[in-house]
Amino acid sequence: MLLKQLTEAMGPSGFEDEVRNLLREQLSDKVDHMYTDVLGNLFAEKHSDKTGPRVMLDAHMDEVGMMIVHAEDNGLLRFRPLGGIDPRVLVSKPVRIGSEKRYGVIGSKPIHLQTMEERKKPLRMDQLYIDIGAQSKDEALAHIQLGDVAVFATEYAEIGERAAKAKSFDDRVGCSIVAEAMERQWQIPVTGVFTVQEEIGLRGATAAAYRINPDIAIAVEGTVCFDVVDAPSHGQSTVLGKGPALTVQDGQTLADARFLEFLIATAEKHNIPWQLRRVKGGSNDFGAIHKVREGIVGGAISVPVRYIHAPAQIISLDDYQASLQLVCAAITEIQEGRWNA
């Protein structure tokens, strides 16, 4: 299963190689042309010889992670985050480090040894370390190099009622959806772009959009879902199981009202459930894409993700399927001439 493979792959920002290789293998015989740019973005082109609006489907390959920056004399490893990670969710979590994916555990001062004042404050990143079982600095550095990256050691599994848990649903759900969409036949030029370094500033998408210069772009993303106990209705950014979320405003984008209305009308026409993303924080690749060159029309279709950027995250598989349906329905409507900018 592609989604399982993608979520379990190692691919923090700047180190997306394993994810890129999986996608290249998946699509190599299903698209017309594949290539990468100097940043590491992967492009999958289909029907570039056809006439009609040029559509860009975007998903980012990178996940939040950690970089090893120092080894203590006793063999413990200090790290800094790659992307937005809340240090409060890190203590005792298993990780995999470097190309050999060596196991480690994130540790801290035990609660038994903390003062009352220390117990009142959340741990800072500089109070944490990774323990790989080494007894000395030399032993640690015999296995781990400074600059190696680490990701959470979480396996994909389907749980409960049509739900799944894994790490890196942000944005391996998008990668999987775009890959599935690119396996289908279209009557207009469509390019699937799997970008790098979204989590540290939407970097890959900027270069990718400039290169393609599409007429329409759709970013497919995993987005924050806060629908749990004690979450007031006005504070629920998205709700699990209610369908793909459409952005009105976020940290980088004010939605193009015309394209948002087009996506809503498309969802209604094809009986696809949908919801609005009701939070203005965060962003996605479309925040960079729409500002390239003279400006690019489009928007984002997002899969709600509970516990996003955490070691274990949850999605609804129904939301996944509905998001794929909406992406494909939007392309169908565009190629049939029902989108007019």
Side-chain angles (χ1 to χ4, degrees):
M1 180 183 182
L2 181 60
L3 183 58
K4 171 180 169 63
Q5 291 178 295
L6 289 171
T7 57
E8 293 181 354
M10 176 179 281
S13 302
F15 298 83
E16 299 91 350
D17 307 66
E18 185 177 349
V19 181
R20 182 168 48 245
N21 289 340
L22 282 170
L23 291 164
R24 183 184 287 115
E25 181 179 356
Q26 178 75 17
L27 292 173
S28 60
D29 60 348
K30 299 180 178 71
V31 299
D32 301 328
H33 185 43
M34 296 187 77
Y35 57 93
T36 58
D37 63 13
V38 294
L39 289 181
N41 294 315
L42 177 65
F43 299 79
E45 292 183 352
K46 203 159 193 174
H47 309 312
S48 57
D49 58 334
K50 293 185 180 293
T51 59
R54 300 184 309 280
V55 175
M56 172 182 178
L57 296 181
D58 161 276
H60 68 88
M61 296 183 286
D62 60 316
E63 63 189 296
V64 296
M66 294 146 277
M67 177 176 285
I68 307 303
V69 295
H70 179 72
E72 300 286 358
D73 290 340
N74 61 4
L76 299 176
L77 302 171
R78 299 290 183 177
F79 62 92
R80 66 173 58 131
L82 287 173
I85 301 179
D86 184 347
R88 293 172 294 184
V89 304
L90 295 183
V91 178
S92 80
K93 301 306 187 295
V95 296
R96 304 193 79 166
I97 312 167
S99 59
E100 296 183 0
K101 297 187 177 180
R102 181 171 292 271
Y103 276 104
V105 174
I106 299 175
S108 67
K109 186 177 181 180
I111 192 170
H112 312 72
L113 305 180
Q114 294 175 16
T115 66
M116 290 302 296
E117 283 303 310
E118 287 175 325
R119 294 183 189 184
K120 295 177 183 178
K121 300 176 182 177
L123 291 166
R124 304 186 309 272
M125 201 73 72
D126 61 6
Q127 294 175 293
L128 304 175
Y129 50 80
I130 296 176
D131 188 340
I132 62 169
Q135 300 300 308
S136 68
K137 180 176 183 177
D138 288 343
E139 183 182 348
L141 293 180
H143 301 287
I144 303 295
Q145 302 299 311
L146 301 185
D148 279 351
V149 291
V151 296
F152 302 122
T154 309
E155 294 183 352
Y156 175 95
E158 295 185 7
I159 62 174
E161 186 68 27
R162 294 285 297 159
K165 67 93 179 175
K167 70 170 181 64
S168 68
F169 279 135
D170 177 17
D171 182 32
R172 307 293 160 70
V173 287
C175 291
S176 185
I177 288 170
V178 171
E180 286 201 56
M182 292 307 300
E183 293 178 3
R184 305 192 182 192
Q185 296 301 316
W186 305 110
Q187 301 305 313
I188 55 176
V190 181
T191 301
V193 187
F194 306 94
T195 64
V196 298
Q197 300 184 41
E198 189 267 1
E199 297 292 359
I200 56 173
L202 318 181
R203 298 178 182 180
T206 303
Y210 189 92
R211 179 170 193 144
I212 298 172
N213 193 23
D215 296 306
I216 302 165
I218 300 174
V220 188
E221 174 72 302
T223 195
V224 61
C225 176
F226 183 60
D227 62 347
V228 295
V229 175
D230 295 331
S233 59
H234 67 273
Q236 294 178 355
S237 48
T238 62
V239 177
L240 210 69
K242 297 298 184 181
L246 307 178
T247 297
V248 177
Q249 177 192 9
D250 63 27
Q252 296 287 333
T253 309
L254 281 170
D256 184 303
R258 300 163 301 168
F259 199 77
L260 178 59
E261 291 170 2
F262 166 75
L263 289 178
I264 292 172
T266 298
E268 296 285 352
K269 176 181 178 179
H270 293 266
N271 297 312
I272 301 169
W274 62 276
Q275 58 186 305
L276 292 178
R277 183 182 182 275
R278 296 176 294 163
V279 62
K280 67 178 181 179
S283 189
N284 55 59
D285 272 347
F286 191 71
I289 292 168
H290 79 282
K291 294 180 282 190
V292 168
R293 294 183 184 263
E294 294 85 7
I296 296 171
V297 72
I301 296 173
S302 302
V303 179
V305 180
R306 281 185 187 154
Y307 324 121
I308 198 166
H309 286 200
Q313 306 160 23
I314 291 178
I315 64 165
S316 161
L317 294 173
D318 291 334
D319 288 342
Y320 176 95
Q321 289 299 328
S323 298
L324 173 61
Q325 292 168 13
L326 183 53
V327 168
C328 294
I331 298 174
T332 298
E333 295 294 308
I334 291 167
Q335 73 181 13
E336 292 180 357
R338 298 193 181 94
W339 160 252
N340 293 301

